[in-house]
Amino acid sequence: MKNLKIREDFLPYCLPDISDKEIDSMLGTLKSGWLAKGPKTLEFQHKFAESVGAKYAIGLNSCTAALFLALKCYNIGPGDEVIVPAMTFSASANTILHCGATPVFADIDPETGCIDTESIKSKITSRTKAIVPVHYSGLPCDLDTIYEIADEHGLIVSEDAAHAVRTFYKGRAIGNKVRNTASFSFYATKNLATGEGGMLVTDDEAVYNRAIMLASHGMDANAWKRYGKGGSWQYDIIEPGYKYNMFDLQAALGLIQLSRMDEMQAKRFELVSIYDSAFKQLPQIKLQYEPDYAGHSKHLYIIRINSDMLTIDRNAFIEELNRYNIGTSVHFIPLHMMTAYKKYRDVRLPNTMEWYESIISLPLYSKLSTEDAEYVAEVVTKIVEEHKK
Ligand SMILES: *Cc1c(COP(=O)(O)O)cnc(C)c1O
C-alpha cells in the first residue's frame, strides 16, 4: 500500500453549493421589496410541485413544520399512535409529540436502513392513526407495501421526505401519486438547500387549504395578499395557527437550487461511483442495499463497518478518519437512546441498534472534488488494510 500523506486542511463532512446565480437571485428579491411570503414563494411552490409531479406544494420554514402540519391536517392528536422508525432525525418523532399523539418506534430493514414493513404490522393497535416512513438517506421506503398496510387499517401516511428530493420509487418521484403527504427539507445540509426551509406536498385539496391556513396564524385564504392593490384589510382567524411560512428570499435561493438539481445530482453520482468502486472490493465494508424499486437520491453515503472482520469498531474507525482530516457523521443516533425518549429505552429494535453501531456517513456533496473523494476512498481502504483480522 502506498504511503498516504495526511491532507493539511480538514475536509468537511458537508458544504452547501451556492453559485453566483443564487446570489444574484437573492439580490434581485432584496431589491424587489418582497421579503416575506410573496411571488417567489408561489413560483417555487409551483415549480417544486411540478418537479415531483404533485398537485400542491406549500413552502414552509422547515420540514419539521411540514411534518407537524401533515399530522395536524388529519386531526392526529391525544390518544392516537403514530408509527415511526427510531433510525431517523428527532423531527420525525418530536412532531408526533407536538400534536399530543404517541410515537411508536418500528424497527428497520437490516439491509436498507428504511422502516421494516413487518415491524410496522407488528406495532399496529386500535389506536394507530398514521405511519411516518422516512426515505432514509435518500433510499425510498417500500411504499406499495406501506400504502397497502395503510389501506387495510385506514391509516394516514405522512412521508418524511427530508432526504428525498430526487428520490424515486418504481421510477416515480417521491411526492408523485403521494397517498397523503410528503415533507421535504431544504436545510443547509440537504441536496437542495435554502439554509432553513421545507415543502409539504399533497394531492389532497383539503389538506392543502388547511395547511396554508395553519402555517399563517390560522388566517383565512389569501390573507397574505392583503398588502397588494385590491387586497382587503379584513381578515379572519379560523383557528389559532402557527407561523411557518417560507419567505421570498428563501424561495429565490430555492428556485435556483431547483434549476441546478440535474447538475448537482450528476456530481453526487460521479462521487458515489468513486466510493462504490473502491468499497465493493472490501468485504469489511458493507454498503446500503438498493432494491429494484429504489432510485436513491444519494443524500447520504453510508458505509457499514463489519467489526467481525476488523480489529477496530465504528467509533475507532471514525477517529482514524478524523486523524486523516476527514469529517464524518452518523445518521442517526436512534431516537429511543435520547433523553427525551428515555421511556422507550427498553423497546427492542435489534436491527436499528446493529445498524447504528456499524454506520459512518462519508463526505458527499456537489462541491466535493473528485480528488477529495479519491482521498477519502484511499484512506478508508488504508484503515481497513491496517486493521484487518
Ligand atoms: C433534516 C431532517 C428533518 C428536518 O428537516 P428541517 O428542514 O431541518 O426541519 C426531518 N427528518 C429527517 C430525516 C431529516 O434528516
Side-chain angles (χ1 to χ4, degrees):
M1 181 111 222
K2 74 174 173 194
N3 229 352
L4 243 178
K5 229 181 120 231
I6 298 182
R7 59 181 286 142
E8 282 178 13
D9 56 326
F10 186 74
L11 183 65
Y13 156 71
C14 191
L15 278 178
D17 183 348
I18 303 299
S19 72
D20 285 343
K21 282 194 203 167
E22 278 87 343
I23 294 166
D24 291 344
S25 174
M26 290 186 84
L27 281 177
T29 293
L30 274 174
K31 289 174 185 165
S32 79
W34 265 110
L35 298 183
K37 179 181 171 182
K40 282 284 173 190
T41 303
L42 296 192
E43 186 186 344
F44 186 34
Q45 291 180 163
H46 178 71
K47 294 225 161 107
F48 192 84
E50 202 174 60
S51 78
V52 298
K55 276 199 190 142
Y56 307 108
I58 302 149
L60 299 166
N61 61 9
S62 68
C63 173
T64 304
L67 289 164
F68 174 72
L69 288 184
L71 297 178
K72 272 279 172 198
C73 285
Y74 289 102
N75 297 311
I76 285 160
D80 298 338
E81 290 177 357
V82 180
I83 297 173
V84 61
M87 180 49 61
T88 183
F89 185 60
S90 58
S92 322
N94 285 353
T95 45
I96 299 168
L97 287 171
H98 295 164
C99 291
T102 305
V104 174
F105 291 124
D107 209 354
I108 54 171
D109 178 281
E111 300 302 325
T112 65
C114 285
I115 194 165
D116 178 53
T117 52
E118 288 304 316
S119 180
I120 294 176
K121 287 183 197 164
S122 76
K123 303 278 174 170
I124 291 175
T125 72
S126 58
R127 284 198 289 274
T128 308
K129 288 286 157 56
I131 309 168
V132 177
V134 180
H135 301 302
Y136 170 83
S137 76
L139 185 84
C141 297
D142 182 0
L143 274 183
D144 281 352
T145 309
I146 291 171
Y147 286 4
E148 236 172 71
I149 297 169
D151 284 341
E152 196 177 317
H153 298 271
L155 310 177
I156 298 306
V157 181
S158 163
E159 295 169 45
D160 183 333
H163 302 174
V165 177
R166 291 296 173 114
T167 293
F168 299 88
Y169 178 77
K170 296 190 176 170
R172 298 196 317 265
I174 294 301
N176 180 228
K177 298 201 164 66
V178 67
R179 187 181 190 279
N180 299 109
T181 60
S183 299
F184 295 87
S185 175
F186 309 136
Y187 182 64
T189 57
K190 305 285 159 67
N191 288 29
L192 189 168
T194 62
E196 301 281 2
M199 196 74 85
L200 178 62
V201 161
T202 186
D203 284 349
D204 185 334
E205 194 180 354
V207 166
Y208 172 68
N209 288 327
R210 180 129 192 261
I212 290 178
M213 184 265 291
L214 285 176
S216 196
H217 308 287
M219 274 185 205
D220 54 351
N222 294 327
W224 65 272
K225 279 187 192 159
R226 67 194 185 280
Y227 300 118
K229 185 175 160 67
S232 166
W233 54 268
Q234 285 189 316
Y235 63 88
D236 188 19
I237 299 293
I238 311 288
E239 58 180 296
Y242 306 87
K243 191 66 201 289
Y244 289 159
N245 291 331
M246 175 174 277
F247 61 111
D248 269 23
L249 272 172
Q250 263 172 316
L253 181 48
L255 275 164
I256 304 298
Q257 287 268 296
L258 183 61
S259 74
R260 291 182 55 223
M261 279 309 285
D262 283 347
E263 164 211 330
M264 292 195 294
Q265 287 297 103
K267 187 63 195 296
R268 276 180 191 268
F269 276 88
E270 186 188 340
L271 300 168
V272 163
S273 73
I274 293 171
Y275 285 164
D276 279 349
S277 52
F279 305 146
K280 277 185 177 148
Q281 333 222 6
L282 304 174
Q284 296 84 357
I285 301 282
K286 279 187 23 171
L287 301 177
Q288 204 177 9
Y289 170 68
E290 296 185 24
D292 285 342
Y293 59 68
H296 199 306
S297 71
K298 304 298 174 188
H299 171 54
L300 301 175
Y301 193 94
I302 294 171
I303 59 170
R304 294 157 65 198
I305 306 302
N306 186 342
S307 43
D308 292 343
M309 299 177 78
L310 291 167
T311 57
I312 54 172
D313 65 4
R314 186 274 312 274
N315 292 1
F317 208 105
I318 287 179
E319 272 168 39
E320 277 294 287
L321 285 165
N322 201 50
R323 201 167 62 77
Y324 279 93
N325 269 332
I326 296 172
T328 56
S329 191
V330 170
H331 294 89
F332 293 94
I333 303 168
L335 292 184
H336 68 305
M337 293 175 68
M338 300 290 183
T339 303
Y341 292 91
K342 58 177 183 289
K343 72 171 186 189
Y344 292 88
R345 210 154 281 172
D346 295 334
V347 177
R348 251 181 54 77
L349 301 166
N351 296 344
T352 299
M353 290 311 291
E354 200 180 314
W355 186 272
Y356 164 62
E357 280 157 14
S358 73
I359 47 173
I360 303 174
S361 303
L362 296 179
L364 178 63
Y365 42 99
S366 45
K367 291 281 263 192
L368 189 73
S369 70
T370 49
E371 293 74 27
D372 287 340
E374 278 158 8
Y375 173 77
V376 173
E378 280 177 37
V379 170
V380 170
T381 308
K382 184 173 160 68
I383 296 171
V384 168
E385 294 295 329
E386 286 177 353
H387 299 90
K388 274 206 276 214
K389 261 190 191 159

